[in-house]
């Protein structure tokens, strides 16, 4: 989907890689009479809990547009949409119940769909309970915060804001810094990105002492022109922009919904009557990956809503569908956590392989590690571990985990001297990065057997 489709929204500098079309895009498919593709996308939206999509999907079944005509299926989806308080669906239900071939079959079909995608099920699995507070737990501690450098000419001429999203790697350095949204476009984008890329954080550690990543951190920068007339001009432009954005959000555009939520959350705009989390939720059921991941953190950490581990996992699964490699990696990490009720290493391997094909280094590294060190014969594959570790080294040639994967794998294949050299390099590089070195020492001193005997887990 192209950013240009949003017209004036070119002021936004980031387009979400949504798993599927949002409701606004589906309307274009319908207007183009592309009913087959529209039915596919409406099904996904309907299953995610989008009431209007449920209504329109029922309508397609009723008319046989893009799908085989099925009055019973239409009746069932109208009933589901009615449960989600869609008034038009209630009217259609009243009409169809008089002409449906079998009310019993219709009710049975409705119960089957409702059990999977109905309102009660949706509320239990996905709906946030708003907690109106400014509580945001510190997920990473910054130790060196570089401020953006703005020229005096810029500060005289322009008021602006920009929200940056970024990840923090195992060494505490910023990765994947990107502008999520800004206004006016490009006014301060370059300056804030340059600053954030220089930030340094205290490395986060897992319970076993190994370094860990932190994903999806955000920061909003704001500058105010020292010219009062220029600032008033900016405020007027921002008000106009916000009005157009809100109109698109009300119309069902997922990008606009997510951006409006972001502006509320980061106090770019103030509207005491609206909660950012409610707009993130609307964007999330509309298929927006950024909003879905935002809900994951909401439920995990209580950021704007009541925490709920099950709902966090459900939204993480939604966000990981398609080619969203960041969400895929986070889901795989959850599935690999043996303390989690969702522990499922076989499923994690499949997800990591998919993310690996998107050349996402954390996923490539974890995948190669699993292939090399897993004690599950359905997972362990030394030759593939070497292949994927070498592929990942094209992105980070001295990554300690990748070096250890290659060292252990080559040693097992009989190339002992080469393996020992690589393991020594892994240990030295871990020292250089200030990572714990016990796992690497275990590999050097006794190989995989010693590591397993000591109960160490080589992670990153």
């Amino acid at each position: 989907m192209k950013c240009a489709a949003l017209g004036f929204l070119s002021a936004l500098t980031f387009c979400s890689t949504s798993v599927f079309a949002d409701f606004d895009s589906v309307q274009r498919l319908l207007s183009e009479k592309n009913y087959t593709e529209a039915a596919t996308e409406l099904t996904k939206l309907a299953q995610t809990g989008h009431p209007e999509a449920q209504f329109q999907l029922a309508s397609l079944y009723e008319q046989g547009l893009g799908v085989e005509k099925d009055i019973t299926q239409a009746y069932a989806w109208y009933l589901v949409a009615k449960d989600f308080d869609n008034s038009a669906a209630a009217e259609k239900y009243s009409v169809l119940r008089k002409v449906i071939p079998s009310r019993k079959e219709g009710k049975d079909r409705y119960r089957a769909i409702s059990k999977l995608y109905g309102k009660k099920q949706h509320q239990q699995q996905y709906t946030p309970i708003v907690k109106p507070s400014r509580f945001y737990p510190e997920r990473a501690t910054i130790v060196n915060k570089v401020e953006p450098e703005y020229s005096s000419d810029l500060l005289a001429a322009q008021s602006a804001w920009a929200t940056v999203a970024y990840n923090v790697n195992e060494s505490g350095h910023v990765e994947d810094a990107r502008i999520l949204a800004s206004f006016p476009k490009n006014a301060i984008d370059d300056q804030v990105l340059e600053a954030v890329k220089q930030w340094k954080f205290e490395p986060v550690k897992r319970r076993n002492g190994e370094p860990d990543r932190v994903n999806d951190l955000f920061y909003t920068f704001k500058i105010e022109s020292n010219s009062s007339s220029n600032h008033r001009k900016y405020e007027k432009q921002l008000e106009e922009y916000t009005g157009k954005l809100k109109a698109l959000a009300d119309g069902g555009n997922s990008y606009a919904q997510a951006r409006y939520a972001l502006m509320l959350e980061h106090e770019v705009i103030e509207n005491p009557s609206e909660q950012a989390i409610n707009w993130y939720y609307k964007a999330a059921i509309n298929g927006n990956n950024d909003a879905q991941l935002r809900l994951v953190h909401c439920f995990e950490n209580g950021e704007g809503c009541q925490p709920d581990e099950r709902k966090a996992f459900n939204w993480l699964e939604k966000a990981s569908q398609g080619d969203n490699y960041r969400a895929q990696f986070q889901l795989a990490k959850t599935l690999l956590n043996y303390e989690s009720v969702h522990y499922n290493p076989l499923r994690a391997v499949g997800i990591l392989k998919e993310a690996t094909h998107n050349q996402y280094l954390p996923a490539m590294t974890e995948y190669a590690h699993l292939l090399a060190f897993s004690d599950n014969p359905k997972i362990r594959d030394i030759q593939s571990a070497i292949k994927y570790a070498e592929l990942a080294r094209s992105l980070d040639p001295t990554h300690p985990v990748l070096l250890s994967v290659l060292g252990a794998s080559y040693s097992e294949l009989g190339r002992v001297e080469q393996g020992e050299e690589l393991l020594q390099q892994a240990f030295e590089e871990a020292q250089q990065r200030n990572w714990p070195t016990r796992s690497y020492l275990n590999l050097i001193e006794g190989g995989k057997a010693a590591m397993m005997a000591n109960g160490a887990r080589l992670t990153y």
Side-chain angles (χ1 to χ4, degrees), residues 21-31 38 41-42 45 56:
D22 64 5
F23 186 72
D24 187 65
S25 300
V26 173
Q27 301 317 294
R28 289 195 292 274
L29 292 174
L30 290 172
S31 67
E41 302 304 333
L42 282 171
L45 289 168
Q56 292 194 3

Side-chain angles (χ1 to χ4, degrees), residues 117-298:
Y117 312 116
K119 184 175 182 179
K120 182 178 179 180
Q121 185 77 355
H122 182 84
Q123 289 177 332
Q124 292 175 345
Q125 295 187 344
Y126 297 105
T127 305
I129 298 174
V130 177
K131 184 177 67 176
S133 72
R134 299 300 301 167
F135 169 71
Y136 293 97
E138 188 177 54
R139 294 195 283 133
T141 303
I142 194 166
V143 295
N144 181 34
K145 185 178 181 180
V146 177
E147 295 295 337
E149 295 183 2
Y150 307 116
S151 69
S152 57
D153 289 343
L154 175 63
L155 292 173
Q158 188 68 67
S159 295
W161 63 270
T163 299
V164 182
Y166 59 95
N167 302 328
V168 175
N169 69 14
E170 302 90 338
S171 298
H173 297 294
V174 169
E175 289 184 347
D176 305 321
R178 59 204 181 278
I179 299 293
L180 273 186
S182 63
F183 185 85
K185 182 180 179 181
N186 292 329
I188 59 173
D189 293 14
D190 292 341
Q191 294 91 332
V192 301
L193 274 178
E194 181 63 28
V196 170
K197 289 175 181 178
Q198 300 177 64
W199 287 3
K200 183 72 169 62
F201 291 80
E202 182 179 323
V204 174
K205 295 181 179 180
R206 302 181 183 183
R207 291 183 179 179
N208 61 3
E210 298 290 346
D212 201 4
R213 299 177 60 84
V214 181
N215 293 300
D216 301 318
L217 296 172
F218 306 90
Y219 194 88
T220 294
F221 297 85
K222 304 173 187 176
I223 62 169
E224 182 174 331
S225 171
N226 49 34
S227 165
S228 58
S229 61
N230 285 341
H231 184 65
R232 286 195 299 271
K233 180 180 178 181
Y234 159 81
E235 288 183 317
K236 182 178 180 180
Q237 292 172 337
L238 179 61
E239 183 179 1
E240 292 175 354
Y241 168 78
T242 302
K244 294 178 181 179
L245 185 74
K246 178 65 160 52
L248 277 176
D250 287 333
N253 186 282
S254 73
Y255 303 136
Q257 291 168 340
R259 295 304 165 257
Y260 187 68
L262 182 147
M263 292 167 70
L264 286 170
E265 179 181 14
H266 292 262
E267 299 180 335
V268 173
I269 55 175
E270 295 184 6
N271 190 338
S273 66
E274 296 197 279
Q275 295 292 333
I277 205 68
N278 288 332
W279 280 103
Y280 279 125
Y281 170 66
K282 290 180 181 180
I285 64 173
N286 209 346
N288 185 279
N289 289 157
D290 294 323
Q292 290 168 346
L293 283 173
R294 182 64 190 84
L295 286 181
V296 172
H297 296 303
C298 155

Side-chain angles (χ1 to χ4, degrees), residues 95-123:
V95 173
L96 281 194
R97 67 191 299 268
K98 299 175 183 177
V99 298
I100 189 173
S102 168
R103 289 188 189 178
K104 181 182 183 305
E105 183 180 345
K107 289 288 187 180
D108 289 344
R109 190 88 59 90
Y110 156 72
R111 292 189 187 95
I113 294 175
S114 184
K115 185 176 181 180
L116 294 173
Y117 312 116
K119 184 175 182 179
K120 182 178 179 180
Q121 185 77 355
H122 182 84
Q123 289 177 332

Side-chain angles (χ1 to χ4, degrees), residues 17-63:
T17 52
S18 201
V19 174
F20 46 81
D22 64 5
F23 186 72
D24 187 65
S25 300
V26 173
Q27 301 317 294
R28 289 195 292 274
L29 292 174
L30 290 172
S31 67
E32 296 165 359
K33 298 184 178 181
N34 187 349
Y35 297 119
T36 300
E37 187 174 348
T40 299
E41 302 304 333
L42 282 171
T43 299
K44 296 173 184 176
L45 289 168
Q47 293 175 348
T48 309
H50 196 295
E52 186 60 27
Q54 294 165 348
F55 175 85
Q56 292 194 3
L57 179 62
S59 180
L60 292 185
Y61 275 111
E62 182 183 3
Q63 300 174 72

